[in-house]
Amino acid sequence: AKRDGKRTFRMFEASLMEDIRRRRSLEAALRQACMRDEFTIAYQPVFSSASGEISGAEALVRWTCAERGPVSPVEFIPVAEELGLVSRIGADVLRRACKDAASWPGGLDLAVNVSPVQLLDPRLPQTVARALEDSGLQPERLELEITETALLNNDEAALRTLTQIQELGVRISLDDFGTGYSSLSYLHRFPISRIKIDKSFVQRLPDDLGSASIVRAIAQLGESLSMKITAEGIETDGQLTFIREQGCDHVQGFLTGHPIPAEAFADLVARAARV
Ligand code: C2E
Ligand code: CA
Ligand code: CA
Ligand code: CA
C-alpha cells in the first residue's frame, strides 16, 4: 500500500510539472504574439429585437498561435491579465475595431470588451479617446462591456474611470449579468446604460422555469431603470421568441450570427441582414 501511495504521488507530481511546463510555454507564446501582433478580431452581429434589423456587432479577440493553432480568449485573456499584457492587447483591439466600425454604415454600433484589469489602468479613458480620434468613429456608436467583477474590486477608481469614459459620450454595458456578485447597487452607482443577460440563463429557455423567471425579472429591471437589454447566447427559435416577448432590446447568438472576420461582417452589413 505504501508503494502504491508513492507511485500515485509521483504521477501527481509529474502531471503537475506538465501543467507548469504547458503554462510557461503558453506565457512565452503569448508574449511573442504581443510583439508580433498575432491577434485578429471577429465580429458577432447584434440585431434589434423589434425590427429584426442588424444594429451592430461585438468585437471578439482571436489568436491563432503558430504552434498551437487557435487559442480561445477564455484561455489566454486570464494569462494576459496576469502577465500585465491585457491593457496592450485591449488597446490594440479597441483601436482596430474602431477603425473597422468607422467604415460600417452610420447607424451601426460597436461593442468592445474591457477586462477588469484594464479598467484599473488610469490611462484607459485616454486610450479610448485616442481610438475614437484616430478612427473618426462617433463616440455614441461605441459601447464598452465590463463585468461585475470589475466593479467589485475597486469601487472608487472604477467609478472615476467609467465617469471619464461616459463624458466622452461612450456608453458602458454590464456583461454576463447575473453570474457574478450581482448587486443592484452597481446599477445605480455606475454609469451603466445596458445590461447583457448571460447566456447561461438564455440557453435554458424557454423550458427551465428558474431561468425564465430570471430573464423576465432582468428585462423588467432594465425597463424600470431605462436601461437597454441585450440577450446573448441565443441558439434556438424558442429562445428568440421568448426573448422577444420579454421586450429585450437586442439579441445576439449563434442562431442569428456567429462571430466572423471583419470583411465577412462588412459583407453581411452590405446585404442588410435581418432576423
Ligand atoms: P463574452 O464577452 O461573454 O463574449 C461572448 C462569447 O460567447 C464569445 O465567445 C462568443 O463567441 C460566444 N457566443 C456568442 N453567441 C453564442 C451562442 O449562441 N452560444 C454559445 N455557446 N456561445 C456564444 P469567445 O469569442 O470565445 O469569447 C469568450 C470570452 O473571452 C468573452 O466572453 C470575453 O469575456 C472574452 N473576450 C473575448 N474578446 C475579448 C477582448 O477583446 N477583450 C477582453 N478583455 N476579453 C475578451
Ligand atoms: Ca462581451
Ligand atoms: Ca457575455
Ligand atoms: Ca424594453
Side-chain angles (χ1 to χ4, degrees), residues 44 58 60-62 72-74 77 93 113-115 118 175-176 199 203 232-235 253-254 259:
Q44 184 174 32
E58 176 176 359
L60 296 159
V61 69
R62 293 289 177 260
S72 163
V74 176
I77 290 288
V93 168
N113 292 285
V114 170
S115 129
Q118 258 181 296
D175 205 355
D176 305 341
K199 54 178 176 285
Q203 277 165 0
E232 65 177 8
I234 296 178
E235 292 180 353
F254 291 167

Side-chain angles (χ1 to χ4, degrees), residues 223 247-249:
E223 183 86 356
C248 294
D249 302 276

Side-chain angles (χ1 to χ4, degrees), residues 29-41 61-64 76-77 80 85 88-89 92-93 96:
L30 196 55
R31 283 186 209 281
Q32 229 169 36
C34 257
M35 290 187 303
R36 295 178 185 163
D37 274 337
E38 288 177 357
F39 302 101
T40 59
I41 304 174
V61 69
R62 293 289 177 260
W63 174 33
T64 304
F76 74 79
I77 290 288
L85 297 173
R88 251 179 67 190
I89 298 172
D92 191 44
V93 168
R96 278 194 289 165

